[in-house]
Amino acid sequence: MSVTRRELLWATAGIGAAGALAACAGSKGGSGSAAGVASGSANEQPRTGGTLKVGALGRASAITRDPHGTQANESDYLIISLLYDTLTVPGDKTNTAARLAASWKPSEDLRTWRFTLADGATFHDGTPVTAEDVVWSLKRLRATPSGKSRLPGIQPEGIQAEDARTVVLVSDYANADLPLLTRLTTFVLKKDTKDDALAGAPGTGPFTLDWYRDGNARLVRNDNWYGGKVLLDAVEVRIFESPQAMANALLAGQIDVASNVGAVAARTAETRKDIQILRRPNDMAMPIVMRAADGPFADAKVREALRLSVDRDAMVKQVLSGYGTVGNDILGTGDPAYAKDIPQRKRDLDRARQLLAEAGFDTARTYDLITTEDIAGLAESATLFATQVREAGVKINVVKQDSKVFWDATWLKAPLYTSYWGTNDSVVFFASKTMLSDAGQNEAGWQEPSFDEAYRTAMATADEAARTTLLHQLQEIEYARSGYLLWGMADGIDLAGSAVRDLPRLPGYGRVQLEKTWLAR
């Protein structure tokens, strides 16, 4: 299984979009703060105290304590995110906000970036955080099996400490979005922490570890956190193996928050006035991948025919129970640079049949669409898709695979399969991760020189307006020819008790930032 893909599902790292350079151009990286939205009266004032009990999905067999390891459990990622800080985080005003890095500044050629650490940042044991700690941590991250995709374009030798508070990252190519990369699992540990000491290693985050048992944990407020006042006394994280069990615990008052619980649980809670339903738009992309490199879907006309065969409104209503939005075959819908002016692709069965005929597509054959039941709605989306494209003359057989088999044998290889990404707030993220010809996770095997050129040119462009224009061109190419059929995006859904206030509403990694959450009781 791919470490990075599984981490992205749970962690929803949300590497952001075009606004990053503008956000930090004056060397101040922290103009956008991590966002939370109040759930109670506008007259309420945040108060300190109380223990927030949070349910999160996970399996006992997949527990990890390594901040740079395979975090297959959302429960583990939540715990790690509260204990250890990344250099940057998603923000409510910009896609990249300051965290352990207080500011950042690029060189003129956009290849070398200098990150200045936050004043007063210390580990939980009281020792100061130094650039050497950050460099050691980033190099450790880069050395993991998925390190190349976690820090794309950055070689180990390109990670250096300039002085005690300045970290220098050098990219292989001009990259105006480099700070966005530091939102993804760049958790900082003390230099030379041994692998066998990770379970108790001090972090820099807003909470410290009280106890950890079998995937469950209690974290207490870090009164010395450099990021400001933490409101809760403690957070207790409880692991659940199914969304329904977690929702039941919330409805019974056993926990305060059911994290990322899904549409089915939300429908159940709709009649409960004592339960808050928090929706995070653009939280998960659920595309169908059509292999463009070879096989029956290599012809762009065939891929366009499939895109024209889908009833997107019906997919959102039936698969997501309305807790989502229609997609337009461009990933990164939460990005401020997302091209909303590109016409929404609509169902056109006559045109689909015409394109299939022009391509000489064999409509007598039945084609497998491979899926998993990793997340709610994924297998259902495959089944409904198969029913819809049958009306255009394409016969689809849905094959459900065990998760391990899927990620080992199907992902990146099969002609037609479902995919999902637990982040959808950046056009650039998907371009760099999944669509460049040499991308390590090129899901469709798509090779498009014009797309590659548009990406490199955009990344080398400092002017925001010019860069936005280039990103629009990038999306036009993706819309017309890529291997993705993005029919819709699922909302992230949290259920919360009536006393919970200021749960974060940002998608992706932003939703695990709980330092400003509080309890009105």
Side-chain angles (χ1 to χ4, degrees):
M1 180 185 299
S2 164
V3 171
T4 302
R5 279 309 316 279
R6 178 61 77 180
E7 286 175 353
L8 281 165
L9 169 64
W10 292 126
T12 56
I15 294 179
L21 185 62
C24 61
S27 85
K28 272 295 184 183
S31 59
S33 59
V37 176
S39 308
S41 167
N43 296 323
E44 288 184 319
Q45 294 299 315
R47 63 183 68 171
T48 59
T51 297
L52 183 73
K53 298 178 180 179
V54 182
L57 295 171
R59 303 184 313 277
S61 61
I63 286 172
T64 182
R65 305 290 299 277
D66 187 346
H68 301 147
T70 305
Q71 291 136 23
N73 289 337
E74 183 169 6
S75 52
D76 289 333
Y77 194 85
L78 174 58
I79 293 166
I80 287 170
S81 298
L82 297 176
L83 293 174
Y84 303 92
D85 281 325
T86 49
L87 291 180
T88 63
V89 293
D92 57 345
K93 297 178 182 178
T94 63
N95 270 12
T96 304
R99 193 68 163 198
L100 193 56
S103 61
W104 44 87
K105 188 175 182 178
S107 60
E108 187 173 346
D109 64 2
L110 300 178
R111 290 190 58 195
T112 301
W113 287 79
R114 286 173 170 79
F115 292 79
T116 301
L117 300 184
D119 288 335
T122 62
F123 289 101
H124 294 157
D125 63 3
T127 58
V129 180
T130 70
E132 291 289 352
D133 295 313
V134 176
V135 167
W136 180 87
S137 297
L138 294 183
K139 286 186 175 182
R140 184 177 188 270
L141 175 68
R142 183 62 174 77
T144 63
S146 58
K148 183 178 179 180
S149 59
R150 286 164 152 179
L151 292 172
I154 300 175
Q155 305 300 325
E157 57 270 22
I159 306 171
Q160 300 292 334
E162 185 171 84
D163 55 43
R165 295 186 62 241
T166 307
V167 176
V168 179
L169 300 182
V170 180
S171 174
D172 292 339
Y173 51 86
N175 190 347
D177 270 335
L178 188 144
L180 306 174
L181 304 180
T182 64
R183 289 168 50 177
L184 177 57
T185 63
T186 56
F187 298 112
V188 174
L189 293 82
K190 295 184 73 170
K191 182 182 178 182
D192 297 329
T193 299
K194 303 299 182 184
D195 288 350
D196 59 5
L198 288 172
T204 65
F207 293 88
T208 65
L209 184 65
D210 185 9
W211 54 257
Y212 182 99
R213 303 184 190 112
D214 301 322
N216 305 288
R218 177 179 170 84
L219 315 172
V220 297
R221 179 174 60 233
N222 177 11
D223 288 321
N224 297 316
W225 189 51
Y226 65 92
K229 185 177 182 179
V230 180
L231 298 177
L232 293 164
D233 285 339
V235 175
E236 291 185 2
V237 179
R238 180 176 170 186
I239 188 172
F240 289 88
E241 290 202 353
S242 75
Q244 192 58 54
M246 182 166 57
N248 289 341
L250 185 282
L251 295 174
Q254 297 169 3
I255 57 176
D256 300 304
V257 177
S259 177
N260 218 27
V261 73
V264 173
R267 287 203 310 270
T268 302
E270 285 174 343
T271 60
R272 292 279 297 265
K273 294 183 179 180
D274 59 332
I275 301 298
Q276 303 175 64
I277 301 174
L278 291 91
R279 297 173 65 164
R280 290 174 275 103
N282 297 302
D283 198 57
M284 181 172 291
M286 300 176 69
I288 290 171
V289 180
M290 304 170 288
R291 184 165 177 79
D294 49 47
F297 308 104
D299 192 319
K301 290 184 177 180
V302 175
R303 300 196 298 275
E304 176 69 3
L306 290 184
R307 285 191 278 258
L308 291 171
S309 301
V310 176
D311 184 337
R312 297 159 194 262
D313 288 322
M315 293 283 281
V316 171
K317 290 176 182 176
Q318 295 182 46
V319 175
L320 303 178
S321 300
Y323 284 91
T325 52
V326 167
N328 199 29
D329 306 315
I330 300 170
L331 292 112
T333 57
D335 192 332
Y338 177 71
K340 296 180 181 178
D341 60 328
I342 293 178
Q344 174 63 53
R345 187 174 268 121
K346 297 182 179 179
R347 198 179 201 201
D348 187 340
L349 292 174
D350 289 339
R351 177 61 177 159
R353 296 186 190 101
Q354 179 184 349
L355 288 169
L356 291 171
E358 290 176 2
F361 186 76
D362 186 359
T363 54
R365 176 183 166 188
T366 298
Y367 302 87
D368 286 342
L369 169 58
I370 305 176
T371 187
T372 74
E373 295 181 306
D374 278 4
I375 62 169
L378 196 64
E380 291 81 359
S381 73
T383 300
L384 184 55
F385 171 82
T387 300
Q388 291 182 351
V389 299
R390 183 66 181 256
E391 296 181 56
V394 180
K395 294 189 285 292
I396 296 291
N397 174 50
V398 176
V399 178
K400 297 179 184 178
Q401 282 185 341
D402 172 78
S403 181
K404 186 178 188 306
V405 174
F406 179 89
W407 295 111
D408 287 347
T410 296
W411 185 56
L412 302 180
K413 304 177 185 70
L416 190 67
Y417 61 93
T418 59
S419 186
Y420 57 94
W421 288 88
T423 180
N424 201 29
D425 70 351
S426 172
V427 169
V428 167
F429 171 83
F430 287 106
S432 62
K433 290 282 186 179
T434 74
M435 283 177 272
L436 291 179
S437 295
D438 61 353
Q441 300 176 27
N442 189 333
E443 293 187 302
W446 189 43
Q447 307 283 322
E448 180 54 63
S450 65
F451 185 89
D452 298 345
E453 182 180 359
Y455 171 81
R456 297 296 186 195
T457 304
M459 292 302 94
T461 301
D463 180 76
E464 184 179 0
R467 193 154 166 269
T468 297
T469 298
L470 291 165
L471 288 173
H472 195 286
Q473 296 173 7
L474 191 81
Q475 294 171 76
E476 290 174 341
I477 299 169
E478 177 184 350
Y479 175 85
R481 299 195 288 278
S482 88
Y484 284 112
L485 191 165
L486 181 61
W487 56 267
M489 290 76 59
D491 292 344
I493 301 172
D494 298 333
L495 300 183
S498 59
V500 179
R501 300 289 186 269
D502 284 356
L503 275 178
R505 293 259 182 130
L506 287 173
Y509 179 52
R511 71 183 177 82
V512 297
Q513 309 303 321
L514 299 178
E515 62 270 7
K516 298 305 180 185
T517 299
W518 56 285
L519 293 169
R521 65 184 182 209

